[in-house]
Amino acid sequence: MTPEPTETTATGTLKVGYISPTTGNFAVAGQEMVDGWNLYWDTNGNEVNGVTVETIVEDDAGNPETSLTKAHKLVEQDGVDVIVGPLLANTALAVAEYTASVGIPNLQPVAASDDLTQRNANDLTVRTGSMGGSQANFPGGEWAATDGGFKTAVTLCADYAFGWESCAGFAQGFEQNGGDVVQQIWFPNTTTDFSTYVSQIQAANADLVYVATAGGAPGPNFLNAYLGLGQDMDKLLLNCCAADQGTLRAMGDQIVGLKSVSYWAEGRDSDVVTEFIDAYKEFSDGKVPGAYVAGGYITASLVASVLAENGLVTGADLVSAITEFTFEDSIFGRVSWDDYNNTVGPVFIREVEKFDDGNLYNVPIATFEDVDQWLGRTPEDALAQPNYSAQFQGI
């Protein structure tokens, strides 16, 4: 229940600018990010503790220059109090630098660039609905080398920052726990035919294949090539996006049993998750929400929780209220924030199961609680390293 405002609680309007690619190559993910945000307010109402939340959505089409233009417009013409988004790492980094320079908080529901909360961290940017790429995949390597019992691994990751960070997280978790990454293979983000990469995977002859894509078509395209060439699905571990709901819907029952690693698990046994999924099914004609929807939704839920405790807060006070908050029971589980404004929370090893409603779900088979972004190092040691790349994976 939303508390009534007290005499000392500020009321009014929190004006939110929401930037996401709702057209172009990333339109599906971008619209899902917006849908998650809107779903929360549609379900719960947009007034919290005497504060009305007003949202202005702008499409950046996944272009950094457009993102900046839209951010300027939202701040300078619309007078927003906070900007949420955008989605892609390069657009998010550009917007975060601008908003910090003009004293406007920037909440990041989905963008996974490590440096948003590491080398480029600032006091007004908060990762609210995701984790850094390396952070979210480190437990996957740890699990594979311990509970999974795999001794050697080959990795296949997209050849740009998100792929490098995802692979680095997995590789470090695997090797720190006794595993051996025998080969790392990189593919352009525009790849549609993965058959040559599957051939390279076969030649590596490793116990485990770890694959990281940025979502969308590469996930199903890889799986079609891998399974089409008769490879063993039990040897696969995918990242969040390669096994997101878009992939599950595209591949169907043939991938029941597929394993992946992510901070989001739609099959987790939780009343909060069930309520969220039921609401999204009604919102989207029966679809199960993936990580992009979840990121938008938890960001809205977090803002609402902070407003319920504090009334109307803006600027640095809004950021402080968010980062001092501990979400004891969110759709992601128990989540808090570190000194760099990054999420600290659970990461799940998931397995695809078919539920009675006929949909496929990623169900946790192992949980790593309180995962931070430093991969077993101190912040000082982690930040002293080079950025992750195809040449530097921290192993």
Side-chain angles (χ1 to χ4, degrees):
M1 177 180 289
T2 301
E4 293 296 324
T6 67
E7 291 183 3
T8 58
T9 298
T11 61
T13 298
L14 182 72
K15 205 165 186 179
V16 179
Y18 204 102
I19 304 175
S20 191
T22 54
T23 61
N25 292 339
F26 304 95
V28 172
Q31 187 59 55
E32 286 189 346
M33 190 174 93
V34 175
D35 287 347
W37 173 267
N38 288 338
L39 173 64
Y40 181 87
W41 304 113
D42 289 350
T43 303
N44 297 281
N46 70 332
E47 185 173 330
V48 183
N49 198 13
V51 180
T52 299
V53 178
E54 177 186 323
T55 305
I56 303 169
V57 177
E58 293 286 352
D59 171 28
D60 70 353
N63 182 290
E65 291 184 4
T66 304
S67 282
L68 272 178
T69 298
K70 295 299 177 73
H72 278 270
K73 180 258 185 188
L74 288 165
V75 171
E76 296 160 16
Q77 296 180 31
D78 298 317
V80 300
D81 300 301
V82 56
I83 286 182
V84 181
L87 185 151
L88 302 179
N90 56 349
T91 59
L93 288 165
V95 168
E97 182 178 5
Y98 164 68
T99 51
S101 74
V102 292
I104 297 292
N106 180 207
L107 311 184
Q108 293 290 344
V110 171
S113 168
D114 283 1
D115 274 349
L116 268 176
T117 55
Q118 291 186 14
R119 294 165 186 83
N120 293 75
N122 66 69
D123 291 341
L124 290 173
T125 299
V126 187
R127 202 191 309 271
T128 53
S130 64
M131 287 183 170
S134 61
Q135 175 188 9
N137 290 280
F138 182 81
E142 184 177 352
W143 172 85
T146 55
D147 293 355
F150 298 100
K151 302 300 182 186
T152 60
V154 57
T155 67
L156 174 68
C157 299
D159 194 12
Y160 79 116
F162 177 67
W164 302 330
E165 291 170 357
S166 299
C167 250
F170 168 82
Q172 290 179 54
F174 193 62
E175 295 215 338
Q176 285 182 27
N177 288 278
D180 180 20
V181 177
V182 297
Q183 186 177 355
Q184 294 196 282
I185 305 167
W186 308 97
F187 66 90
N189 210 25
T190 54
T191 299
T192 57
D193 182 358
F194 283 84
S195 56
T196 59
Y197 297 104
V198 174
S199 296
Q200 292 179 57
I201 288 169
Q202 288 176 305
N205 196 30
D207 299 334
L208 176 71
V209 181
Y210 168 78
V211 180
T213 77
N221 287 344
F222 166 76
L223 285 168
N224 280 320
Y226 185 86
L227 298 176
L229 290 173
Q231 297 302 290
D232 185 355
M233 195 169 67
D234 290 339
K235 294 176 59 174
L236 273 181
L237 181 69
L238 273 56
N239 76 330
C240 60
C241 312
D244 200 36
Q245 273 293 320
T247 296
L248 272 56
R249 288 192 286 267
M251 298 302 296
D253 291 357
Q254 65 179 318
I255 60 167
V256 169
L258 177 69
K259 293 180 178 64
S260 59
V261 54
S262 180
Y263 54 84
W264 165 239
E266 61 271 25
R268 185 166 68 92
D269 185 11
S270 158
D271 290 343
V272 176
V273 173
T274 300
E275 291 170 8
F276 166 51
I277 289 173
D278 288 346
Y280 185 67
K281 281 182 174 180
E282 185 174 345
F283 181 87
S284 64
D285 296 325
K287 289 183 179 179
V288 177
Y292 302 112
V293 183
Y297 186 90
I298 193 174
T299 299
S301 181
L302 177 62
V303 169
S305 297
V306 165
L307 296 178
E309 282 194 358
N310 300 277
L312 180 61
V313 284
T314 58
D317 291 338
L318 175 62
V319 173
S320 294
I322 288 173
T323 56
E324 292 170 6
F325 191 80
T326 296
F327 228 143
E328 294 292 350
D329 190 20
S330 78
I331 58 171
F332 289 172
R334 184 183 185 278
V335 178
S336 60
W337 280 264
D338 69 12
D339 292 341
Y340 291 73
N341 296 350
N342 187 57
T343 49
V344 177
V347 171
F348 308 100
I349 308 300
R350 316 177 301 179
E351 184 171 319
V352 175
E353 292 184 18
K354 189 169 186 177
F355 280 20
D356 290 341
D357 64 2
N359 292 305
L360 299 181
Y361 289 74
N362 286 300
V363 178
I365 59 172
T367 302
F368 293 78
E369 298 285 359
D370 299 321
V371 177
D372 65 32
Q373 63 177 326
W374 307 116
L375 313 191
R377 296 178 172 86
T378 65
E380 293 75 19
D381 287 345
L383 293 173
Q385 296 182 131
N387 290 92
Y388 295 127
S389 65
Q391 291 73 41
F392 178 73
Q393 289 281 285
I395 56 176

